[in-house]
Amino acid sequence: MDRVLTAPHELMPTRKGQEVKFGMRPERNSRERPRPSSVSVIVPAYNAAATLAEQLQALAAQRFDGDWELVIVDNGSSDGTADLARRYRQRFKEFTLVDGGSRRGHSAPRSAGAIAARGELLAYCDADDVVAPGWLQAMADAARYYDLIGGWLDVRPLNDDATRGWHQPWPRDRLRSWLLPYAVSANLAVWADVLRDLGGWSSEYEAGGEDTELSWRAQLAGYRLGFAPDAVVYYRYRSGLWETARQSYGIGVHCEQILRDFAVLRDGTHHGDRRTAVDQADDGDGSALVRAIGRAAWLATRLPYLAASRRHRGQWISVAAEYLGRLNGAVRYRLLDRRRARSWTGCRLKYVHAARVGYRHPGSAE
């Protein structure tokens, strides 16, 4: 069975301008749910004709002992992405192609997919990646214990050694963490009722950072974020230096946007991962200007990277682009002269979220 839908953007349940408060709790806060009776796999796609077929083949090969549907959201492609998706519709029992219109972005197609979806659990992956065998089953199993789930991004199959060296490694045994842990939208699942309760994906993060924003908002609202180690997606990095620099610059801008919106975390004590040698930026103390000066000094000491191997050159460019984006974002969101004051809120977050946020494997003892 297949459906072709045109998504009315005015009906998209996207959060905009909602105040983020610590301590909000949903009425339902049970420790374990029944296994989802149905799952919707949502794949946003924009000009993905070169990579979508590989992802669709991997999804069609998933072994899952429950009901599930595939929802492709064509986000205004001009390269035949929609036509390619239609050629695979017979490979799936339930298939929906959503015309996402011309409103391109990160949140809009994910919201359009959520509207069209009929499953209790919404599982997201991207059109330029490849889900590993067992991905869907692992997401559904983990959903019994968590409200929002992230899996592991394996960068080895789809990227060469040099390109992998441009980026911070993804932890194998937990979610990546900054001020709080977060799931990445390329490998994320969320219960449909949880997404509705949260007000959907934020329309203020169309350019990126929408997954971190949703993950943090969910945790501050009392929902459980967990890691599913067997839900693996083969993740594809940008292969060119220019494309990587553009992406890193955008990440830097979004970091400052998130710091503005989550002042309750920004002004407290974070308990995220220790930074790697590549990323020495600390968002705990000092103004954004002081941090920017520190980053510039870090880059200056590593200028020889530009004349070294492709791996080191790409690493320097990637970090420099992100730092430039963070400086731009600090100016845009008026964070240059703000001090990071430690507060009782931050101390409370340190202990409350250590107990609430899911680092354990699904099914482990509480």
Side-chain angles (χ1 to χ4, degrees):
M1 179 179 178
D2 59 83
R3 298 180 290 157
V4 178
L5 303 179
T6 300
H9 291 293
E10 64 274 11
L11 297 180
M12 289 182 183
T14 56
R15 169 189 174 273
K16 185 173 183 179
Q18 176 180 327
E19 184 180 2
V20 177
K21 297 180 180 179
F22 173 69
M24 296 187 295
R25 286 178 176 271
E27 293 181 2
R28 179 204 51 75
N29 192 26
S30 62
R31 297 307 301 165
E32 185 173 336
R33 284 178 179 253
R35 193 170 179 275
S37 61
S38 58
V39 180
S40 296
V41 175
I42 300 173
V43 184
Y46 171 66
N47 285 347
T51 58
L52 180 59
E54 190 175 6
Q55 178 67 291
L56 293 178
Q57 291 168 10
L59 286 168
Q62 291 290 302
R63 294 181 177 232
F64 180 60
D65 57 6
D67 293 330
W68 71 284
E69 64 171 345
L70 178 65
V71 179
I72 305 290
V73 183
D74 179 23
N75 197 205
S77 301
S78 58
D79 67 343
T81 291
D83 292 335
L84 187 151
R86 290 188 187 97
R87 292 200 292 271
Y88 281 83
R89 63 173 50 173
Q90 300 303 322
R91 302 280 299 274
F92 300 92
K93 182 178 179 181
E94 299 284 345
F95 177 96
T96 300
L97 177 63
V98 177
D99 179 3
S102 59
R103 183 184 172 190
R104 291 193 290 273
H106 288 241
S107 295
R110 289 174 173 83
S111 296
I115 290 175
R118 296 181 289 194
E120 288 185 323
L121 183 71
L122 310 179
Y124 288 90
C125 58
D126 286 346
D128 57 347
D129 300 326
V130 178
V131 297
W135 171 77
L136 183 55
Q137 185 74 49
M139 278 297 193
D141 290 342
R144 293 176 55 196
Y145 306 96
Y146 303 115
D147 304 299
L148 181 72
I149 307 106
W152 182 49
L153 298 180
D154 186 353
V155 301
R156 295 170 299 178
L158 302 181
N159 306 279
D160 58 36
D161 291 341
T163 303
R164 294 199 301 270
W166 300 350
H167 303 272
Q168 181 180 352
W170 295 95
R172 184 65 185 92
D173 59 345
R174 65 192 184 281
L175 295 174
R176 184 176 282 182
S177 184
W178 180 18
L179 303 185
L180 284 178
Y182 59 93
V184 179
S185 57
N187 190 2
L188 179 153
V190 58
W191 285 88
D193 63 332
V194 171
L195 188 62
R196 285 194 299 270
D197 288 346
L198 289 170
W201 297 87
S202 174
S203 60
E204 296 181 358
Y205 284 79
E206 290 295 355
E210 78 293 342
D211 42 16
T212 303
E213 193 276 340
L214 180 66
S215 296
W216 288 9
R217 181 155 42 97
Q219 291 170 83
L220 291 179
Y223 286 109
R224 297 159 296 166
L225 171 65
F227 178 65
D230 296 327
V232 180
V233 165
Y234 302 138
Y235 186 72
R236 193 188 310 271
Y237 285 129
R238 306 290 194 275
S239 59
L241 284 174
W242 172 243
E243 292 83 0
T244 299
R246 287 183 59 188
Q247 184 183 41
S248 297
Y249 177 86
I251 290 172
V253 173
H254 306 144
C255 283
E256 299 299 320
Q257 182 181 5
I258 288 173
L259 288 177
R260 179 202 65 178
D261 291 346
F262 289 85
V264 66
L265 300 176
R266 184 195 69 213
D267 296 339
T269 303
H270 71 270
H271 59 279
D273 293 340
R274 289 184 176 275
R275 301 306 178 103
T276 65
V278 176
D279 187 359
Q280 296 292 333
D282 179 18
D283 293 305
D285 299 294
S287 70
L289 181 59
V290 171
R291 297 198 310 274
I293 293 173
R295 291 166 185 150
W298 188 93
L299 289 168
T301 62
R302 288 159 177 79
L303 278 174
Y305 277 24
L306 290 174
S309 65
R310 178 172 174 264
R311 175 175 181 170
H312 285 87
R313 184 166 60 253
Q315 188 179 87
W316 192 96
I317 291 173
S318 177
V319 174
E322 181 178 342
Y323 286 176
L324 182 61
R326 294 205 64 169
L327 180 60
N328 187 327
V331 173
R332 181 184 305 180
Y333 301 114
R334 301 180 180 179
L335 298 177
L336 278 178
D337 57 351
R338 295 190 179 182
R339 294 282 175 178
R340 309 308 190 229
R342 298 195 182 279
S343 65
W344 69 271
T345 303
C347 294
R348 187 182 181 193
L349 282 170
K350 179 177 181 180
Y351 296 105
V352 172
H353 287 288
R356 181 180 300 159
V357 175
Y359 288 110
R360 296 177 297 276
H361 292 182
S364 62
E366 293 294 335

